[in-house]
Amino acid sequence: MAWFWQRNKSKDVLKERLKLTLAYDRAQLAPGMVDALKNDLLDVLKRYFPAEQEALKVELEQRGEKVVMIANIPLR
Amino acid sequence: MKARAIVVTSGKGGVGKTTTTANVGAALAKLGERVAVIDVDVGLRNLDVVMGLEGRVVFDLIDVLEGRCKRSQALIKDKRLEGLFLLPASQTRDKEALDSEKFRLLVRALIEEDAFDRVLIDSPAGIERGFQTAATPAEGALVVVNPEVSSVRDADRIIGMLEAREVRENFLVINRLRPKMVERGDMLSVEDVQEILGLKPIGIVPEDEKVLISSNEGEPLVLKNGSIAGSAFMDVARRIRGEEVPFPDLREKSGFMGALRKLLGGS
Ligand SMILES: Nc1ncnc2c1ncn2[C@@H]1O[C@H](COP(=O)(O)OP(=O)(O)OP(=O)(O)O)[C@@H](O)[C@H]1O
Ligand SMILES: [Mg+2]
């Protein structure tokens, strides 16, 4: 429905923001701390996998009750 | 809901707890239940004015808890509806006077000795002591939430705290929904809120100016027919009593979008 005026729906933005915020709230984590950890991890990973710089990813994911941090390291 | 003692709570203030307590309480009484609604917002008493019973307050919750009067003396009987009673909050005492163990015993006594079918507890905003006390006797909760960022976030905190307190029968009352904004994608839909909070709705109440008018007049909406919000609260009461009541489609039936939907064969 409404395909003829595709625009960013503000509620989709809100939904993504809320999901992440609640994940941090539930895990009782400070988002800035997690961000710093994420960046540190990425730096270490880049040292070991310099060829994969672009493909390396560290992300938070909600898995049922738990929030997990996932490092994605393609090992060819 | 099996729960007889139900706390109405939200975390964030001003989202519709008192409105929900007054209307669902009146609706349950209308359906034949014996209902006590209790205002636990000590110092910020409001359930009395929303229900239009302010002129009859003599004793209050803290008077009962501290033994200055009997339960039956503090309970105000609503003359418009058989079986509806209000226990008002204290307006002058401070919150510290509210003892949660005594409060739990009072609610038990209302159910076990005074034969109330249902006790609805109007919780104060916040996650601190007032909320904690209000939740102490509860077996279930109506978590009132507006489809809006801060309300949803606070509801999530409250749901976590209810679970930690082993309040188990919890449902959402999604209040102040604006179907047009949902349709445009500028407001979270019922499904979105349910997905984010992981709790089922027992009520979906649209934004309706009759809500304000009814509290101006001190006449719960469910006493009169003809408002969308009133029938939404009536439906909440039916669902609490275990009836299967489908959620009505709140989208605009007329206007451009409605016409377009009909044209495209939607419902
Ligand atoms: N569905 C609705 N449509 C329009 N107005 C509403 C609706 N629900 C509540 N309101 C209005 O919102 C205001 C706040 O409602 P209410 O007092 O019930 O909230 P509350 O959660 O009890 O607030 P507090 O946290 O201060 O106790 C009131 O003016 C009420 O009339
Ligand atoms: Mg209130």
Side-chain angles (χ1 to χ4, degrees), chain A residues 7 10-11 15 19 25-26, chain B residues 153 156 185-186 192 195:
Chain A
R7 69 174 172 101
S10 67
K11 76 113 183 203
K15 211 169 154 184
K19 279 187 177 166
D25 286 356
R26 287 170 191 168
Chain B
R153 187 186 196 179
D156 190 69
D186 281 329
D192 294 328
E195 178 194 331

Side-chain angles (χ1 to χ4, degrees), chain B residues 10-12 23 27 72 85-86 111-112 118 195 199 227 231 237:
Chain B
S10 67
K12 186 172 155 73
N23 281 287
S72 58
F85 293 80
L86 164 72
I111 293 167
E112 279 156 24
R118 211 73 71 166
E195 178 194 331
L199 221 59
S227 67
S231 61

Side-chain angles (χ1 to χ4, degrees), chain B residues 103-242:
Chain B
F103 183 54
R104 192 182 66 78
L105 292 173
L106 167 69
V107 172
R108 286 271 72 81
L110 288 170
I111 293 167
E112 279 156 24
E113 293 165 34
D114 300 348
F116 278 99
D117 298 309
R118 211 73 71 166
V119 177
L120 292 188
I121 303 161
D122 185 8
S123 146
I127 55 175
E128 281 127 39
R129 192 154 151 207
F131 154 72
Q132 300 289 350
T133 304
T136 299
E139 300 143 339
L142 302 183
V143 177
V144 184
V145 60
N146 296 165
E148 162 270 323
V149 61
S150 347
S151 176
V152 174
R153 187 186 196 179
D154 293 3
D156 190 69
R157 285 277 277 154
I158 283 290
I159 293 164
M161 292 184 149
L162 288 168
E163 282 165 0
R165 301 193 64 100
E166 313 207 334
V167 180
R168 297 188 191 283
E169 249 194 314
N170 306 332
F171 292 96
L172 298 175
V173 173
I174 301 174
N175 187 26
R176 307 197 80 156
L177 188 85
R178 294 162 70 171
K180 276 190 189 152
M181 287 193 73
V182 173
E183 191 136 7
R184 287 209 302 268
D186 281 329
M187 182 176 267
L188 295 173
S189 68
V190 170
E191 293 73 24
D192 294 328
V193 177
Q194 180 174 354
E195 178 194 331
I196 294 167
L197 292 176
L199 221 59
K200 286 205 181 105
I202 198 166
I204 300 167
V205 185
E207 175 77 25
D208 184 347
E209 51 180 54
K210 297 230 170 81
V211 171
L212 187 66
I213 298 174
S214 92
S215 44
N216 289 348
E217 296 173 342
E219 284 268 317
L221 279 172
V222 298
L223 291 178
K224 298 184 229 167
N225 292 325
S227 67
I228 327 176
S231 61
F233 283 122
M234 206 65 219
D235 286 351
V236 176
R238 292 209 168 87
R239 293 189 194 104
I240 288 177
R241 286 167 53 73

Side-chain angles (χ1 to χ4, degrees), chain A residues 7 10 19 24 30 35 38-39 43 50 52-53 62-63:
Chain A
R7 69 174 172 101
S10 67
K19 279 187 177 166
Y24 286 119
D35 216 48
K38 206 168 108 174
N39 290 333
D43 285 344
E52 308 294 338
Q53 294 248 0
Q62 179 94 36
R63 287 196 179 164

Side-chain angles (χ1 to χ4, degrees), chain B residues 11-30:
Chain B
K12 186 172 155 73
V15 300
K17 294 176 292 296
T18 300
T19 307
T20 301
T21 308
N23 281 287
V24 173
L28 284 167
K30 212 172 163 182

Side-chain angles (χ1 to χ4, degrees), chain A:
Chain A
M1 176 81 261
W3 60 88
F4 42 87
W5 73 74
Q6 285 295 348
R7 69 174 172 101
N8 280 344
K9 293 178 174 168
S10 67
K11 76 113 183 203
D12 291 332
V13 179
L14 170 57
K15 211 169 154 184
E16 283 319 301
R17 289 178 55 219
L18 265 172
K19 279 187 177 166
L20 199 61
T21 308
L22 295 190
Y24 286 119
D25 286 356
R26 287 170 191 168
Q28 296 184 294
L29 283 170
M33 197 272 278
V34 176
D35 216 48
L37 169 58
K38 206 168 108 174
N39 290 333
D40 284 357
L41 271 174
L42 268 177
D43 285 344
V44 174
L45 293 174
K46 280 178 191 162
R47 273 214 319 271
Y48 284 81
F49 306 95
E52 308 294 338
Q53 294 248 0
E54 298 308 309
L56 292 170
K57 270 198 191 111
V58 178
E59 285 168 332
L60 285 194
E61 214 178 275
Q62 179 94 36
R63 287 196 179 164
E65 298 281 276
K66 289 209 172 73
V67 182
V68 291
M69 188 177 269
I70 313 263
N72 216 311
I73 313 162
L75 291 175
R76 211 171 280 275

